[in-house]
Amino acid sequence: MDDDGSAATVMLGLAGFRLIAVSEYGGECEQAIETTAVEDFCRGCGVAARLHDRRPSWVRDLPAAGRPVTLVWIKRVWRCMETRCPVRTWTETSELIKVRAGWTERARAEACRRVGEDGHSVAQVARAFGVSWATAMTAVRDHGRPLVEDPDRLDAVAALGVDETAFLAANAKHPTMFVTGMVDLRGRRLLDVVPGRSSKALHDWVSARPPAWRDSVSVAALDPFRGYATALSTSLPGAVRVLDAFHVVQLGFAAVDDVRRRVQQQTLGHRGRRDDPLYRIRRVLRRGAEHLTDHAWNRLLAGLDAGDVDEQIGLAWIAAQDLRRIYQRATDRDTAQRRLHAWLEHCADSNVPELHRLARTIDAWREEFLAYFSTGGVSNGPTEAMNLLIKKIKRVGHGFRNFDNYRLRLLLHCGVTWQTHQPTPLRGRLPRLAA
Ligand SMILES: [Zn+2]
């Protein structure tokens, strides 16, 4: 290529440039560089140009050997030798160091990677590079948007997960604002987020995908929200809709909670307090039976003994555990259907109104519930895992005001495959230095 192959230029690693001098400047490393171009041609008339002047230009670069690096690019100023040409002089340019930029493109790309892949805050990265927050954020946008808007990013989705997350907490000016997130359940990546949690929000996003993309989605997992189900049935009619097991199990435990609160109120006449026996076991009641230690079992039974006067909480707890058990025990749709039928009857026969309501809800989602067992147990689990990452990014960003920034940051962290070079092992390596 056009580099001189010298040790210094290899260390620099900036294509088309060579390192001509290195010095220390206040604990930082200052590297003088120049392009390897020896000749330029006038862009006005095409005649060969002559070197007219040299002008230094300072930019920040990636740190080297633990020290901040400043590059001093000794730019060439060329002059056209053709006297009739209107172009007089011009300064050389490079894609790697943009005109009037304060830092190199590779430093800007690294800032974007740290914010995106590493999930660091923009403020943190700005400090590390010695630039302002706005300058760092511009770099994140310039280098991040092409990654996020790349149409190939959404390729090959066979199983789609849909879920909502809170974007902005409620305040005096607006209620809690939600976003709908779409997740690739097999590839475990965030595909996109759109404002709102409506049928329309999801429908519009799915409908904007090319037909081939929509045809490739065979399964869609969703939480029990009618809006999403409607949107999926119209925009992805070919995909089997599966009710997410996690949400179903949560519905069961929510019913137990409701019964506990009602019984508490009826027997003691007030909401749960710290020393109330039912209040003390509220968390134990939400655990799967097989995860309970002996100690937890004893606490649970003692709490129910003391507070569950009509044994309604116990009944609801058993129903919630049985609902979970359908997922654990049933291996095919027929078995699941039989077990579900028995479970629904059991709830209907009970004297617990919350169980009647729970049974009606599950029954209304019967097809989506059973689809879990005919699709090999597709789960919205990756969506939930994605929600944890989303929460992390929100914490790092101290809450977002601007939806576009929020979307960019989320997708850079959970929706983009970073081609970061992974160090190779040193063990067994042979020296390659040409001494
Ligand atoms: Zn010219």
Side-chain angles (χ1 to χ4, degrees):
M1 296 286 286
D2 54 358
D3 69 56
D4 58 7
S6 73
T9 297
V10 172
M11 287 292 291
L12 177 67
L14 204 55
F17 285 88
R18 66 171 150 247
L19 186 58
I20 48 179
V22 180
S23 57
E24 276 227 346
Y25 191 96
E28 301 188 4
C29 186
E30 204 173 74
Q31 306 179 347
I33 59 168
E34 65 177 10
T35 61
T36 48
V38 286
E39 201 173 17
D40 202 358
F41 295 92
C42 173
R43 71 204 85 159
C45 65
V47 162
R50 181 174 290 182
L51 185 63
H52 172 68
D53 198 4
R54 296 274 222 160
R55 281 178 204 151
S57 159
W58 283 262
V59 286
R60 287 243 173 243
D61 194 23
L62 295 173
R67 284 180 298 190
V69 169
T70 303
L71 299 180
V72 190
W73 179 9
I74 315 295
K75 287 185 177 179
R76 291 184 179 84
V77 183
W78 300 96
R79 168 182 285 277
C80 179
M81 297 314 290
E82 174 56 61
T83 47
R84 285 163 295 175
C85 177
V87 177
R88 317 289 300 178
T89 63
W90 65 93
T91 309
E92 62 181 341
T93 57
S94 167
E95 279 303 299
L96 306 182
I97 303 170
K98 296 277 175 69
V99 176
R100 277 183 293 277
W103 43 342
T104 60
E105 280 312 297
R106 67 181 181 186
R108 299 180 77 229
E110 170 64 7
C112 177
R113 192 202 61 78
R114 286 197 201 175
V115 168
E117 185 176 23
D118 295 347
H120 292 176
S121 73
V122 175
Q124 237 174 336
V125 171
R127 262 198 312 278
F129 282 95
V131 298
S132 72
W133 186 93
T135 302
M137 190 62 216
T138 306
V140 173
R141 265 191 225 109
D142 289 352
H143 286 266
R145 274 192 188 142
L147 299 174
V148 163
E149 303 308 336
D150 178 6
D152 291 345
R153 195 178 63 82
L154 300 183
D155 259 8
V157 176
L160 179 71
V162 183
D163 200 8
E164 55 167 51
T165 50
F167 163 47
L168 283 182
N171 65 16
K173 291 193 188 110
H174 57 76
T176 305
M177 287 164 74
F178 287 93
V179 297
T180 298
M182 280 69 63
V183 171
D184 172 5
L185 294 178
R186 303 258 155 82
R188 292 174 173 263
R189 66 205 157 118
L190 184 64
L191 296 170
D192 215 336
V193 286
V194 291
R197 55 164 171 180
S198 62
S199 175
K200 188 177 185 307
L202 177 59
H203 184 270
D204 288 353
W205 186 85
V206 174
S207 303
R209 299 309 111 213
W213 187 91
R214 279 179 275 148
D215 288 344
S216 72
V217 180
S218 58
V219 179
L222 67 162
D223 52 359
F225 168 53
R226 269 300 154 203
Y228 290 158
T230 309
L232 289 172
S233 67
T234 54
S235 58
L236 285 178
V240 178
R241 292 183 300 282
V242 181
L243 196 57
D244 174 48
F246 174 83
H247 280 97
V248 173
V249 170
Q250 290 309 304
L251 281 181
F253 285 129
V256 178
D257 256 353
D258 290 343
V259 181
R260 176 183 59 79
R261 284 202 202 88
R262 177 172 57 78
V263 171
Q264 161 88 38
Q265 192 73 40
Q266 282 171 353
T267 52
L268 297 176
H270 60 75
R271 292 180 46 177
R273 290 175 193 162
R274 205 185 52 194
D275 294 326
D276 293 336
L278 292 179
Y279 187 76
R280 292 178 57 147
I281 58 167
R282 70 194 184 286
R283 290 206 187 88
V284 188
L285 281 169
R286 294 186 70 99
R287 268 190 241 155
E290 73 278 11
H291 299 310
L292 294 178
T293 59
D294 287 348
H295 175 68
W297 265 115
N298 291 338
R299 279 186 57 210
L300 178 68
L301 295 175
L304 289 176
D305 253 1
D308 188 17
V309 286
D310 299 324
E311 295 178 347
Q312 291 204 339
I313 304 172
L315 277 175
W317 184 83
I318 290 168
Q321 299 291 338
D322 284 347
L323 185 59
R324 287 179 74 235
R325 220 160 277 138
I326 298 179
Y327 285 108
Q328 290 164 352
R329 301 273 168 82
T331 48
D332 59 88
R333 193 182 185 281
D334 286 346
T335 321
Q337 188 162 21
R338 273 199 308 279
R339 284 176 174 270
L340 177 63
H341 189 76
W343 182 85
L344 289 170
E345 281 200 334
H346 180 78
C347 288
D349 291 345
S350 75
N351 60 343
V352 185
E354 288 84 355
L355 285 186
H356 297 170
R357 198 169 58 223
L358 174 64
R360 277 199 303 276
T361 305
I362 300 291
D363 197 28
W365 290 92
R366 185 191 287 253
E367 279 312 306
E368 288 86 353
F369 179 93
L370 292 174
Y372 177 90
F373 302 91
S374 50
T375 53
V378 64
S379 129
N380 227 355
T383 314
E384 302 298 328
M386 217 56 77
N387 274 337
L388 291 179
L389 287 177
I390 287 176
K391 285 194 184 115
K392 175 185 145 197
I393 293 298
K394 280 170 69 176
R395 252 196 331 272
V396 166
H398 299 299
F400 287 85
R401 293 280 163 280
N402 178 308
F403 178 77
D404 288 335
N405 275 357
Y406 177 66
R407 174 174 177 269
L408 179 66
R409 297 279 296 278
L410 289 184
L411 290 178
L412 285 179
H413 192 59
C414 326
V416 163
T417 313
W418 291 89
Q419 307 294 336
T420 308
H421 176 80
Q422 298 298 319
T424 50
L426 294 179
R427 201 173 281 266
R429 215 188 273 191
L430 294 169
R432 248 193 301 184
L433 302 172

